């Protein structure tokens, strides 16, 4: 079978195709059994696929920013978090019963799997003085509080910089309990889900017991789990629905149950074999790679429809099954081969991504495209040769509208060229208005409880974007140096003056409070100690009274050479977060001398840099893909002029889509930057099939450019219409997702594919007639000449 295929792909020999079809007819059961065994063998690998919701899979192991983040977390014992948000319905968290519930939840937070620390208003270690002594105690240290005690807690909490607009809202409407979770390196996906599931159960328990308070979940660990669940839900529901609609559309438009079933089998075989293949290789599936099946599905649909549309046309025109299949393969095998090659080139450019999951997505789709091509030439024809198809006169979409459309385009070629060209250029001119940015907190729409939680954290508490700095003196016990502490305090105050900053968490706030405590709580002493020994003594006294698990290890490293300073901002996009980082780095360079210039870190910033770099890398890879695809098309068409001409309809749909997106939204995130690489293969598919039919008319039938255009409309217009319709509808279904990356990607893909058909029907033909000038005949003459073509569909 392999030798047959190699010969077919390298030759247009009809005799060779006839031999291949005859061989398939004689050995179709053998071919089907072998293919099924291969598919089954590959498919068994799916059981080896592991699913990861650990954010670190998005980074290469040698990524310097993730190395810095890991080092920072190790130095200060910081981990992933699960955050319980409490929203009292009476809008007063300082109401005595509400404080008791908060205290109870804080205690139970320690019981969550892998919990290492719990921080809340209730167990905040408040320091105060009595005579010459300093005492440290939790803010809420009684199960039953009087109104006077709760009011005193309100007064202290809202006056404490470390609490106000960080742990508790200034208007007292919201507070939270942060549980630090240390996930073990082994079985981290299972451990993460175990911790979040336990938190959800605790949330449910408290919601039922205390309906007067709304309990919501947020936190970095929760984000990872919900992200994976949102993608899984889309794959299970919307992608499945999309697949069903595509199948139904194929059945209706091809008017053949056999055509629909065989396409579904090719889709299923391609997807199953691809996932199984990567399972055998031990791959880990991420939310990004989870969409590989839907992309493979679209490519398999396009390959199958072109073969089926022509097969049914010839078969229903009176040809034998074998001859109809042979003619369909003869017409389609070369364009399908080249579109598969160009699609593989397009998706392999995802390897330019700095994020491994996007590389995995490109590699999985590339393998899937190859398998879809292989099964379209083996599994599909083998089934067609044995399926009991009746030779009725029922046709697919009538070719007469396509012929009339072709005649109209020929007759209006000049205005169409200028109008369509002007529209493409006008819409494309809006592309620079797009901004490359990412806003992870807008991945989820308002139907997600999680989105409600993070919006409340952003508007009522400390914000949800952050930067973290390791302020390192470079020497043991260097943090006690008054000059160092003064610069840290100056840095913190400068940060607080920035318009984006909501809260700054600095060790100097604790030291200022301790200094005030040591001077009889006199507010005038709320400042940094001016002596090294005093700073050391104050911290020692304070730390000796802290309970286990609530030490200063999250603010001071082990040898006392560095402190951790955290900054939180209102939600913003990745570009703005990087701009804040750069502005801060400039201030540090100009105003500090006592500590090493720190590199900003934090999960938000690490992802901001990854996303911005990723988008630019992917766009750069797309340029390379277009260059390589141009070379392939030049070789295919054996014409530099036509190869370069084909670039216009290949780039035009993306230009329309991204130009319209600039008017609709204006932000391009990683998910949207991938659209051009994913859609490029399908767009090229349309162009190649149209051009291949046009060139067949010009070179084999010696038709004029005008006649060639009408011939192309008649022979491939139906297939292009079917594939575009079912795929646009299928991708449009994704637009109903509540997970915005899915929604945006599906919408932009639908716009791109619809634009591809419009450009191929109304701009490519006038462009071809302009470039490929020759003595023309009028549209009616063209129709007469074409009537003599053996490829002309019957008049029905």
């Amino acid at each position: 079978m392999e030798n047959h295929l190699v010969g077919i792909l390298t030759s247009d020999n009809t005799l060779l195709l006839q031999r291949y079809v005859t061989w398939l007819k004689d050995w179709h059961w053998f071919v089907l059994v072998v293919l099924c065994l291969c598919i089954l063998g590959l498919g068994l690998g799916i059981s080896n696929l592991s699913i990861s919701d650990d954010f670190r899979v998005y980074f290469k192991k040698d990524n310097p920013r993730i190395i810095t983040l890991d080092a920072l977390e190790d130095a200060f014992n910081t981990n992933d978090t699960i955050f319980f948000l409490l929203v009292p319905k009476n809008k007063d968290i300082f109401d005595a019963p509400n404080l008791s519930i908060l205290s109870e939840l804080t205690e139970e937070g320690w019981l969550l799997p892998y919990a290492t620390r719990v921080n809340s208003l209730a167990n905040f270690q408040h320091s105060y003085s009595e005579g010459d002594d300093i005492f440290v105690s939790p803010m809420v240290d009684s199960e039953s509080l009087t109104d006077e005690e709760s009011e005193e807690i309100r007064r202290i909490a809202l006056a404490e910089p470390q609490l106000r607009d960080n742990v508790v809202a200034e208007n007292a409407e919201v507070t939270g309990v942060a549980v630090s979770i240390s996930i073990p390196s082994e079985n981290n996906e299972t451990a993460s889900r175990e911790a979040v599931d336990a938190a959800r159960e605790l949330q449910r328990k408290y919601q039922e017991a205390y309906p007067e308070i709304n309990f919501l979940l947020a936190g970095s660990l929760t984000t990872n789990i919900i992200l994976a669940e949102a993608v899984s839900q889309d794959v299970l529901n919307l992608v499945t629905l999309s697949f069903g609609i595509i199948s139904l559309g194929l059945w209706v438009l091809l008017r053949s149950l056999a055509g629909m079933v065989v396409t579904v089998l090719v889709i299923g075989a391609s997807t199953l074999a691809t996932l199984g293949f990567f399972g055998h290789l031990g791959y880990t599936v991420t939310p990004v790679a989870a969409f590989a099946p839907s992309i493979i599905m679209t490519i398999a649909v396009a390959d199958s429809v072109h073969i089926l549309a022509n097969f049914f046309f010839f078969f229903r025109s009176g040809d034998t099954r074998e001859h109809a299949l042979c003619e369909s393969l003869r017409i389609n095998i070369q364009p399908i081969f080249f579109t598969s090659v160009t699609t593989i080139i397009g998706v392999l450019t995802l390897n330019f991504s700095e994020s491994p999951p996007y590389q995995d997505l490109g590699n999985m789709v590339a393998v899937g495209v190859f398998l879809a091509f292989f099964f379209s030439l083996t599994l599909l024809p083998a089934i067609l040769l044995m399926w009991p198809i009746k030779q009725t006169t029922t046709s697919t979409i009538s070719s007469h509208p396509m012929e009339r459309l072709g005649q109209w385009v020929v007759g209006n070629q000049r205005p169409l060229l200028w109008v369509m060209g002007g529209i493409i250029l006008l819409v494309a001119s809006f592309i620079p208005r797009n901004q490359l940015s990412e806003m992870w907190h807008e991945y989820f729409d308002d139907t997600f409880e999680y989105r409600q939680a993070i919006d409340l954290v952003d508007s009522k508490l400390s914000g949800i974007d952050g930067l973290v700095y390791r302020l390192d003196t470079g020497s043991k016990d260097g943090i006690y140096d008054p000059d160092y502490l003064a610069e840290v305090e100056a840095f913190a105050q400068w940060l607080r003056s920035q318009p984006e900053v909501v809260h700054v968490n600095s060790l100097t706030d604790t030291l200022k409070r301790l200094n005030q405590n040591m001077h009889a709580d006199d507010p005038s002493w709320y400042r940094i100690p001016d002596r090294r020994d005093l700073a050391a003594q104050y911290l020692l006294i304070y730390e000796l009274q802290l309970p286990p698990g609530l030490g200063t290890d999250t603010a001071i490293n082990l040898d006392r050479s560095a402190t951790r300073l955290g900054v939180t901002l209102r939600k913003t996009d990745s570009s703005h977060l990087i701009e804040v980082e750069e502005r801060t780095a400039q201030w540090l360079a100009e105003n500090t001398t006592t500590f090493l210039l720190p590199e900003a870190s934090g999960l938000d910033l690490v992802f901001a840099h990854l996303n911005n770099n990723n988008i630019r890398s992917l766009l750069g890879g797309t340029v390379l893909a277009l260059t390589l695809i141009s070379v392939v098309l030049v070789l295919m068409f054996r014409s530099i002029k036509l190869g370069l001409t084909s670039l216009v309809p290949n780039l035009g749909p993306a230009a329309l889509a991204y130009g319209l997106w600039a008017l609709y939204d204006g932000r391009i995130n990683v998910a949207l930057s991938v659209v051009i690489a994913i859609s490029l293969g399908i767009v090229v598919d349309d162009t190649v099939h149209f051009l291949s039919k046009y060139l067949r008319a010009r070179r084999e039938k010696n038709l004029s450019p005008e006649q060639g255009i009408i011939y192309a409309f008649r022979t491939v217009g139906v297939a292009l219409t079917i594939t575009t319709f079912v795929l646009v509808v299928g991708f449009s279904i994704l637009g109903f997702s509540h997970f915005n990356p899915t929604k945006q990607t599906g919408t932009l893909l639908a716009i791109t594919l619809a634009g591809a058909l419009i450009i191929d029907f109304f701009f490519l033909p006038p462009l071809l007639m302009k470039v490929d000038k020759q003595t023309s005949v009028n549209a009616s003459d063209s129709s007469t000449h074409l009537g003599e073509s053996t490829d002309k569909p019957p008049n029905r």
Side-chain angles (χ1 to χ4, degrees):
M1 180 169 63
E2 182 179 354
N3 291 334
H4 281 285
L5 286 178
V6 172
I8 290 169
L9 292 176
T10 55
S11 173
D12 193 30
N13 193 322
T14 302
L15 180 60
L16 187 58
L17 279 167
Q18 290 173 344
R19 290 176 178 173
Y20 174 65
V21 171
T22 301
W23 179 83
L24 274 180
K25 179 184 178 183
D26 294 338
W27 293 89
H28 63 269
W29 282 113
F30 171 77
V31 171
L32 289 174
V33 169
V34 170
L35 289 175
C36 287
L37 289 175
C38 291
I39 294 167
L40 180 62
L42 287 172
L44 291 174
I46 290 181
S47 61
N48 298 326
L49 285 174
S50 58
I51 301 175
S52 176
D53 40 41
D54 181 6
F55 78 88
R56 283 176 173 78
V57 300
Y58 289 90
F59 301 89
K60 296 178 182 178
K61 292 182 179 180
D62 60 351
N63 185 297
R65 290 189 175 275
I66 202 67
I67 292 173
T68 299
L69 177 63
D70 287 340
L72 187 145
E73 291 183 343
D74 290 340
F76 298 105
N77 293 322
T78 52
N79 303 291
D80 288 321
T81 60
I82 294 176
F83 192 76
F84 293 89
L85 193 68
L86 284 71
V87 187
K89 293 182 179 178
N90 66 359
K91 297 184 179 182
D92 186 8
I93 193 61
F94 293 106
D95 187 42
N98 292 339
L99 285 175
S100 297
I101 295 170
L102 172 65
S103 180
E104 182 183 344
L105 178 59
T106 301
E107 288 301 314
E108 289 211 48
W110 290 98
L111 302 179
L112 290 179
Y114 315 107
T116 59
R117 187 183 182 102
V118 180
N119 289 317
S120 77
L121 169 67
N123 71 350
F124 176 77
Q125 298 303 301
H126 170 59
S127 63
Y128 58 94
S129 65
E130 289 186 1
D132 295 331
D133 296 321
I134 290 182
F135 294 92
V136 180
S137 65
M139 187 72 76
V140 181
D141 59 359
S142 173
E143 293 184 1
S144 57
L145 298 170
T146 65
D147 290 340
E148 291 76 12
E149 289 172 330
S150 64
E151 284 303 312
E152 178 65 10
I153 292 172
R154 182 197 305 270
R155 182 191 67 79
I156 295 172
L158 295 183
E160 174 55 55
Q162 290 181 293
L163 294 178
R164 186 181 64 250
D165 286 335
N166 180 33
V167 176
V168 61
E170 187 173 11
N171 61 9
E173 292 182 0
V174 178
T175 192
V177 177
V179 183
S180 296
I181 304 291
S182 180
I183 299 298
S185 57
E186 296 181 358
N187 299 321
N188 57 350
E189 290 86 7
T190 303
S192 297
R193 184 160 293 281
E194 180 186 355
V196 173
D197 286 345
R200 286 170 168 168
E201 179 60 27
L202 188 60
Q203 175 197 19
R204 183 196 61 78
K205 170 186 169 182
Y206 270 76
Q207 192 64 73
E208 291 179 355
Y210 306 108
E212 65 271 21
I213 297 178
N214 289 326
F215 296 86
L216 305 173
L217 275 183
S220 60
L221 194 63
T222 310
T223 302
N224 292 342
I225 297 299
I226 291 181
L227 177 63
E229 289 176 345
V231 174
S232 299
Q233 181 178 346
D234 279 350
V235 171
L236 181 63
N237 297 332
L238 293 178
V239 174
T240 302
L241 178 61
S242 175
F243 175 78
I245 290 177
I246 287 175
S247 301
L248 181 62
L250 290 170
W251 188 3
V252 172
L253 295 173
L254 289 172
R255 299 181 186 178
S256 167
L257 177 62
M260 184 270 286
V261 170
V262 73
T263 303
V264 169
L265 290 175
V266 170
I267 293 172
S270 304
T271 304
L272 180 65
T274 299
L275 295 179
F277 174 75
F278 283 91
H280 284 302
L281 295 180
Y283 269 60
T284 298
V285 176
T286 62
V288 172
F291 284 100
S294 63
I295 301 170
I296 295 169
M297 174 182 71
T298 64
I299 306 300
V301 166
D303 287 352
S304 300
V305 164
H306 285 291
I307 294 175
L308 288 169
N310 284 281
F311 167 78
F312 285 121
F313 155 57
F314 290 120
F315 185 57
R316 290 165 178 167
S317 298
D319 281 354
T320 64
R321 187 190 302 242
E322 293 80 6
H323 185 262
L325 180 58
C326 182
E327 280 298 292
S328 180
L329 290 176
R330 184 181 72 85
I331 292 173
N332 290 293
I333 193 167
Q334 188 184 52
I336 288 177
F337 170 72
F338 278 102
T339 55
S340 297
V341 171
T342 56
T343 301
I344 289 172
I345 290 173
V347 296
L348 284 180
T349 59
L350 292 179
N351 281 282
F352 281 83
S353 169
E354 295 188 9
S355 181
Y358 286 95
Q359 297 174 359
D360 294 344
L361 175 64
N363 294 332
M364 292 177 75
V365 173
V367 171
V369 169
F370 168 77
L371 290 174
F373 169 74
F374 177 76
F375 289 133
S376 295
L377 298 185
T378 53
L379 182 63
L380 185 149
I383 295 176
L384 287 179
L385 288 171
M386 53 83 64
W387 191 284
I389 306 173
K390 294 182 180 180
Q391 196 170 37
T392 65
T393 57
T394 303
S395 180
T396 56
I397 296 176
S398 172
S399 61
H400 278 305
M402 291 293 109
E403 179 181 350
R404 289 194 292 270
L405 179 60
Q407 293 173 358
W408 182 84
V409 169
V410 168
N412 295 275
Q413 55 183 284
R414 184 179 296 275
L416 278 176
L417 181 65
W418 289 104
V419 171
M420 287 299 300
I423 291 174
I424 294 172
L425 290 175
L426 176 63
V427 176
S429 68
F430 293 108
I431 292 178
R433 295 178 59 177
N434 284 306
Q435 295 181 344
L436 303 181
S437 67
E438 191 86 29
M439 294 187 73
W440 66 266
H441 20 69
E442 293 189 358
Y443 281 2
F444 313 94
D445 69 11
D446 293 336
T447 61
F448 283 87
E449 181 186 278
Y450 175 77
R451 173 64 183 271
Q452 301 168 31
I454 61 176
D455 281 350
L456 278 171
V457 172
D458 181 68
S459 61
K460 300 293 186 180
L461 295 178
S462 62
I464 54 177
D465 282 322
L467 303 174
V468 182
Y469 290 90
R470 173 176 176 159
L471 306 180
D472 198 336
T473 65
S475 61
K476 183 178 179 181
D477 294 328
I479 66 167
Y480 302 125
D481 181 0
D483 292 336
Y484 166 80
L485 293 173
E487 286 194 353
V488 172
E489 175 64 9
F491 181 39
Q493 294 301 330
W494 178 82
L495 286 168
R496 291 181 177 118
S497 70
Q498 302 306 296
E500 307 89 349
V501 173
V502 181
H503 189 266
V504 178
N505 192 1
S506 171
L507 176 67
T508 55
D509 293 328
T510 300
L511 277 171
K512 287 189 295 183
R513 187 175 75 246
L514 292 172
N515 194 33
Q516 178 181 338
N517 296 151
M518 292 300 293
H519 292 84
D521 286 330
D522 182 352
S524 66
W525 284 92
Y526 187 73
R527 59 178 185 263
I528 298 294
D530 56 6
R531 286 166 40 194
R532 183 186 185 97
D533 59 332
L534 289 179
Q537 291 172 17
Y538 293 170
L539 276 177
L540 178 61
I541 295 172
Y542 176 70
E543 289 174 304
L544 287 174
Q545 299 187 61
L546 294 177
L550 291 177
T552 59
D553 54 338
T554 57
I556 307 172
N557 68 345
L558 190 60
D559 67 356
R560 307 293 168 121
S561 63
T563 63
R564 178 184 184 273
L565 186 143
V567 188
T568 53
L569 305 84
R570 295 293 181 214
K571 62 182 178 181
T572 186
D573 61 27
S574 56
S575 298
H576 189 206
L577 192 62
I578 292 172
E579 189 273 325
V580 174
E581 175 206 15
E582 293 171 347
R583 189 196 320 155
T584 303
Q586 182 179 353
W587 188 92
L588 285 168
E590 295 173 354
N591 295 276
T592 59
T593 59
T594 62
F595 51 83
L596 306 175
L597 285 179
E599 178 183 356
S601 190
L603 188 57
D604 296 318
L605 185 64
V606 171
F607 266 105
H609 279 284
L610 175 70
N611 291 332
N612 276 18
N613 294 339
N614 211 25
I615 291 170
R616 289 175 171 83
S617 297
L618 289 174
L619 293 178
T622 301
V623 173
L624 176 61
L626 287 170
T627 302
L628 295 176
I629 287 172
S630 301
V631 174
V632 171
L633 294 179
V634 167
L635 294 175
M636 175 187 175
F637 299 135
R638 292 174 290 169
S639 168
I640 295 177
K641 180 171 62 176
L642 289 180
L644 295 178
T645 300
S646 68
L647 283 180
V648 178
N650 290 338
L651 289 173
L656 287 177
Y658 284 102
L660 291 173
W661 192 260
L663 298 174
Y664 171 70
D665 186 282
R667 287 179 297 178
I668 301 294
N669 54 31
V670 175
L672 294 181
S673 68
V674 172
V675 167
I676 188 169
I678 295 172
S679 64
L680 192 57
I682 307 174
V683 170
V684 171
D685 177 276
D686 290 353
T687 304
V688 165
H689 278 284
F690 193 95
L691 274 171
S692 66
K693 302 306 183 290
Y694 172 79
L695 290 177
R696 185 177 295 275
R698 297 281 285 118
R699 292 170 179 174
E700 293 186 10
K701 302 181 180 299
N702 295 318
L703 299 179
S704 68
E706 287 78 5
Q707 294 170 325
I709 292 298
I710 298 176
Y711 176 88
F713 268 101
R714 298 182 65 177
T715 54
V716 80
V718 169
L720 292 182
T721 302
I722 292 174
T723 56
T724 301
F725 177 80
V726 297
L727 294 181
V728 168
V729 171
F731 280 123
S732 296
I733 294 298
L734 301 182
F736 291 97
S737 172
H738 296 293
F739 184 60
N740 285 327
T742 301
K743 179 178 181 178
Q744 294 168 345
T745 301
T747 301
L748 196 60
L749 277 169
I751 294 172
T752 304
L753 298 182
L757 186 67
I758 293 171
I759 289 174
D760 283 330
F761 276 5
F762 300 108
F763 185 68
L764 177 59
L767 184 63
L768 281 175
M769 288 182 281
K770 180 73 173 177
V771 172
D772 195 22
K773 291 181 179 179
Q774 182 176 307
T775 303
S776 304
V777 294
N778 60 43
S780 59
D781 290 339
S782 300
S783 178
T784 304
H785 284 289
L786 285 171
E788 300 169 1
S789 168
T790 59
D791 290 334
K792 178 181 177 182
N795 294 330
R796 297 195 179 97

